[in-house]
Amino acid sequence: MDSRDWDDRYANASGLVWTAEPNRFVVESVAGLSPGSALDMAAGEGRNAVWLAGQGWRVNAVDFSTVAVERGRELAAARGVAVDWRIADVTAYRPVPGSYDLVLISYLHLPGADFAGVLAAARSALRPGGTLVVVGHDLANLDGGTGGPQDPSVLLTPEAVVDGLAGLRIRRAETARRPVSTTDGGTVDALDTVVVANRPAG
């Protein structure tokens, strides 16, 4: 899907396409970190960026959908927080190297080469001691979970993400279960890749 497809998807939704609340694995991964400068790549409607700003982070959020960015601005205003929004395609966007204490890639699903380029840019953007958090639908979700893309070529595995993080210290790399509510009031599990890594401080 290109930016126009995503614009249409967001514009045709009566409310937020995704929840306004942050992803549970993002919250877990950021717990205990001292707020600093953060970059949310492919931020969508900004749920994670806005939450980070509410925790005291100085947040730059990047997405190629103008509609999503406008939704993010509205959410930030409603929450009374400041986020620096930028409309850009993360496959071409190159943040200033060594400029962020936290970089987030959440549910970005691209063909392998494109994802590897985004991951390399994210890794480069980290300051010494900075943290990179990657969360997305796991390949195992096709057979053992629910929702998400059905194209195996764009799904993640912890191993594939870690392979793109040379030079970083891996703190967490696993396939994790995420409960998803069903229409009958129950829950089913989605399977997500969660990887957390640090650039060594020295």
Side-chain angles (χ1 to χ4, degrees):
M1 295 175 72
D2 62 20
S3 60
R4 289 170 298 182
D5 294 325
W6 279 105
D7 281 343
D8 289 343
R9 181 173 182 182
Y10 288 121
N12 291 329
S14 58
L16 293 174
V17 172
W18 320 114
T19 173
E21 299 308 312
N23 174 264
R24 64 169 55 216
F25 299 124
V26 172
V27 174
E28 289 175 10
S29 301
V30 173
L33 297 181
S34 297
S37 58
L39 173 63
D40 187 354
M41 301 183 75
E45 296 164 304
R47 61 183 182 133
N48 293 314
V50 168
W51 177 80
L52 286 168
Q55 305 304 303
W57 292 85
R58 302 181 305 278
V59 185
N60 290 349
V62 180
D63 200 275
F64 68 177
S65 169
T66 57
V67 178
V69 168
E70 185 56 36
R71 294 268 180 91
R73 289 189 174 114
E74 292 171 359
L75 181 60
R79 297 282 176 89
V81 298
V83 175
D84 184 1
W85 303 94
R86 179 169 300 184
I87 298 170
D89 185 338
V90 293
T91 62
Y93 177 71
R94 293 295 177 264
V96 176
S99 54
Y100 291 97
D101 301 296
L102 173 67
V103 179
L104 171 63
I105 302 173
S106 177
Y107 298 97
L108 175 64
H109 294 279
L110 298 168
D114 288 336
F115 189 82
V118 175
L119 202 58
R123 185 181 70 226
S124 172
L126 286 177
R127 288 178 176 151
T131 300
L132 174 62
V133 179
V134 181
V135 180
H137 298 287
D138 194 279
L139 180 61
N141 196 57
L142 278 180
D143 298 319
T146 185
Q150 299 301 296
D151 178 358
S153 71
V154 301
L155 295 174
L156 306 181
T157 66
E159 296 79 11
V161 174
V162 168
D163 283 348
L165 300 181
L168 301 190
R169 182 180 296 112
I170 306 302
R171 286 176 39 203
R172 179 180 183 182
E174 65 174 306
T175 299
R177 294 186 175 274
R178 172 174 50 87
V180 177
S181 298
T182 58
T183 55
D184 62 3
T187 61
V188 294
D189 284 343
L191 300 177
D192 288 344
T193 288
V194 182
V195 176
V196 182
N198 291 105
R199 178 173 294 284

